[in-house]
Amino acid sequence: MFALSQPGYKNGFSLTGGEFTRTAEVTFLQGNRKLVIKQQFSGVDEHGHLTISTEIDGRVPEIPIGSTVRIEPYNELYHSSSSVVTSTSTREYTVEIPGAESQTYTYQWRQTITFKEIGRA
């Protein structure tokens, strides 16, 4: 949403003025745990900082203390309309536990960003 604008194109900030809502749902397939992240971006404050309110709800899988988590490369598919951007992906992460065999798990990522374009009613 905040890449620099190129001549003839608008970036996310110039379209939204920094006011939009983002919801990300993460479903961990093993154990069927779900995490929901809701963010409300309310524009820029008097100091020029983007203001954000974040709510996190749900549960994530337990990771043993001392473990290393490695997120594998992934592809994410984006779709957009005049006021909504969605993306989905299926991703993997590996938990490396000292003195034990590494375990690889799968999770699904679904994200929705809604906004009202500046200049539109």
Side-chain angles (χ1 to χ4, degrees):
M1 292 294 289
F2 301 105
L4 295 174
S5 291
Q6 297 296 317
Y9 298 94
K10 292 183 177 182
N11 67 4
F13 189 83
S14 64
L15 289 173
T16 68
E19 296 184 20
F20 59 95
T21 302
R22 174 182 176 261
T23 302
E25 295 180 3
V26 185
T27 303
F28 298 90
L29 300 183
Q30 292 81 0
N32 200 29
R33 293 182 183 228
K34 187 174 188 175
L35 180 70
V36 178
I37 305 165
K38 294 181 181 180
Q39 295 180 300
Q40 180 67 46
F41 293 75
S42 303
V44 178
D45 67 13
E46 66 275 5
H47 303 291
H49 301 130
L50 184 63
T51 58
I52 306 167
S53 171
T54 301
E55 296 178 23
I56 300 173
D57 185 36
R59 295 180 54 90
V60 298
E62 291 186 31
I63 305 293
I65 293 174
S67 298
T68 299
V69 176
R70 185 171 29 94
I71 298 175
E72 305 300 333
Y74 59 89
N75 292 314
E76 192 161 4
L77 181 61
Y78 286 85
H79 297 279
S80 64
S81 69
S82 61
S83 62
V84 177
V85 176
T86 61
S87 69
T88 57
S89 63
T90 299
R91 307 176 184 186
E92 290 185 338
Y93 68 99
T94 300
V95 179
E96 299 170 350
I97 304 168
E101 193 170 318
S102 296
Q103 298 281 331
T104 299
Y105 302 97
T106 302
Y107 66 102
Q108 293 175 330
W109 177 272
R110 190 173 73 203
Q111 168 174 249
T112 303
I113 299 170
T114 57
F115 59 94
K116 187 185 327 179
E117 284 189 46
I118 294 176
R120 287 200 177 185

